[in-house]
Amino acid sequence: MGLYDKFTRLANQREQFQTSGLNPFGTCIDEVYSATEGRIGERNIVLAGTNNYLGLTFNAEAIAVGQAALANQGTGTTGSRMANGSYGSHLALEHELATFFDRPTAIVFSTGYTANLGVISTLADPNAVVLIDEDCHASIYDACVLGGAQIIRFRHNDAQDLERRMVRLKERAKDAIIIVEGIYSMLGDVAPLVEIVEIKKRFGGYLLVDEAHSFGVMGATGRGLAQELGVEQDVDIVLGTFSKSLASIGGFAVGSAAMEVLRYSSRPYIFTASPSPSCIASVRASLQIIAQQPELREKLWANAARLYQGLEKIGYTLGAHISPVVPVVIGSKEEGLRYWRELIDRGVYVNLVLPPAAPSGITLLRCSINAAHSEEQIDKIIQAFTALQR
């Protein structure tokens, strides 16, 4: 198949979902009024499809320091961290992240995707073997491919399957890299970290946890699932993003002092322009808020429970556990598209997730809740889903 044949095939697939109404691949949120409200066309909508878990995108302090950095340091660094793109604020944020996680080292990247790509591709070289949960994010898969490592997938959240595969590796198990996520972004479930840590202790290996969706959300101080389960000391590297709870853009890795070598060997770190000063400033403010306002996490989980229980009561098939990610399982792609459009007509925006982004070939209406949603907004979402069943 030639290049243009591939383009034609992909265009035809997209066209199937553009025959009428809104286009799920190109819908524009025309205005955003707050962490929970926006406008699509002429419709005011409740935003229930963002990853803005703590609702900090409109935090006054984060906006103010971001605006000041924009005025004082300009719109961008125009260079990578290895060139002119390391400002004092980048180094300050790295120190603050390391302190927050009680780790020796933190490295800031331009995006969460780049953080995964940069760390994992450098470690997962052609001599390495990597065991990853089959539901891991695309950036983790891409990083393993870029590094050239042998990739072994184990069944989602199945510690016994991981153990079987570690047994088969024999001596190689002691140097294997195990990668899982905290909260999985599509189904909202969490990794069985206690069981995985026990396997690591028996067989060896290195454990990397992507806490992108669990950072700020779980743990006594918001450090994520590893903190929630009391196994932080057994996680070698924590990876994360600024685009969820920290309400900006960028990524990070925290770990031991030995991780500093990544600054001189990670191609995505070396050859990507660094985050803008305004992004860094707003992240620093949001990190302080996460540390100082645990009530935001409490409100987030109360909102998540309200939505989950409300949708469960009216008969929808949901993810296995209450989580800020509330996936509603829908039958066919066509039905999912119809429901998604009808929800927008009723003033609610959620994510339409189709295979292969949705696991196991299912179609999802993915809701994500944040701490800024009011009870009335949660109830409006439930009412909109109720109307779909009529």
Side-chain angles (χ1 to χ4, degrees), residues 64-387:
V65 296
Q67 289 174 331
L70 186 66
N72 296 330
Q73 296 183 281
T75 56
T77 67
T78 70
S80 73
R81 296 294 304 277
M82 288 289 285
N84 63 294
S86 274
Y87 289 14
S89 57
H90 293 91
L91 300 178
L93 176 56
E94 288 176 337
H95 174 73
E96 288 158 8
L97 282 166
T99 300
F100 182 87
F101 277 93
D102 194 22
R103 300 271 183 147
T105 297
I107 302 177
V108 164
F109 292 82
S110 301
T111 65
Y113 194 106
T114 308
N116 278 349
L117 207 64
V119 172
I120 297 169
S121 68
T122 306
L123 300 177
D125 62 27
N127 297 315
V129 57
V130 184
L131 298 102
I132 62 176
D133 186 293
E134 65 181 359
D135 280 7
C136 275
H137 190 265
S139 60
I140 295 173
Y141 278 93
D142 289 352
C144 293
V145 172
L146 181 63
Q150 178 186 353
I151 304 170
I152 299 175
R153 296 188 299 174
F154 60 92
R155 286 196 292 269
H156 177 53
N157 278 351
D158 190 335
Q160 290 183 341
D161 192 41
L162 170 63
E163 181 176 2
R164 284 191 290 268
R165 294 172 190 276
M166 290 286 278
V167 168
R168 292 172 193 161
L169 286 174
K170 299 180 180 178
E171 284 299 310
R172 295 186 73 193
K174 64 179 174 42
D175 295 317
I177 301 169
I178 303 167
I179 307 176
V180 298
E181 298 185 26
I183 292 177
Y184 285 88
S185 61
M186 291 296 105
L187 294 180
D189 49 354
V190 301
L193 266 189
V194 172
E195 293 87 345
I196 290 172
V197 162
E198 192 275 329
I199 291 168
K200 177 196 169 190
K201 287 179 176 179
R202 286 192 288 117
F203 292 92
Y206 304 90
L207 178 58
L208 279 62
V209 179
D210 182 353
E211 299 269 22
H213 290 267
S214 43
F215 174 74
V217 171
M218 303 186 76
T221 63
R223 296 203 296 234
L225 178 65
Q227 184 184 44
E228 179 88 9
L229 299 179
V231 295
E232 287 183 288
Q233 69 278 8
D234 297 298
V235 175
D236 296 287
I237 296 177
V238 173
L239 296 151
T241 181
F242 301 156
S243 62
K244 274 68 176 177
S245 290
L246 287 165
S248 185
I249 188 167
F252 67 91
V254 295
S256 68
M259 200 178 70
E260 282 290 324
V261 73
L262 291 172
R263 297 187 192 273
Y264 310 99
S265 54
S266 170
R267 292 170 66 87
Y269 177 86
I270 296 170
F271 294 106
T272 305
S274 65
S276 69
S278 56
C279 284
I280 294 297
S282 64
V283 167
R284 294 179 67 191
S286 294
L287 184 63
Q288 290 184 18
I289 292 167
I290 290 173
Q292 296 168 2
Q293 297 185 30
E295 63 270 18
L296 289 176
R297 284 188 294 282
E298 295 171 6
K299 181 63 162 53
L300 167 64
W301 283 97
N303 282 347
R306 188 180 187 92
L307 178 61
Y308 187 99
Q309 292 163 359
L311 294 177
E312 184 179 48
K313 184 177 181 179
I314 58 178
Y316 280 100
T317 301
L318 309 175
H321 305 286
I322 294 175
S323 164
V325 176
V326 183
V328 180
V329 181
I330 304 298
S332 66
K333 296 179 183 179
E334 293 73 19
E335 188 176 30
L337 179 60
R338 178 171 62 84
Y339 278 11
W340 176 78
R341 288 171 174 160
E342 289 182 13
L343 285 171
I344 291 178
D345 288 340
R346 291 177 168 84
V348 173
Y349 175 80
V350 302
N351 304 125
L352 172 63
V353 186
L354 306 173
S360 306
I362 60 178
T363 296
L364 298 174
L365 293 174
R366 177 189 180 272
C367 309
S368 55
I369 295 304
N370 70 54
H373 280 114
S374 67
E375 291 185 354
E376 292 75 19
Q377 288 173 326
I378 301 294
D379 292 343
K380 179 175 180 177
I381 299 168
I382 296 169
Q383 290 163 9
F385 271 95
T386 302

Side-chain angles (χ1 to χ4, degrees), residues 21-58:
L22 293 164
N23 169 19
F25 302 106
T27 294
C28 174
I29 297 177
D30 296 288
E31 287 190 81
V32 178
Y33 304 130
S34 70
T36 62
E37 296 174 304
R39 177 178 63 82
I40 294 177
E42 300 303 318
R43 303 179 186 90
N44 288 335
I45 55 170
V46 175
L47 295 172
T50 74
N51 299 311
N52 186 18
Y53 295 122
L54 299 182
L56 296 180
T57 49
F58 280 79

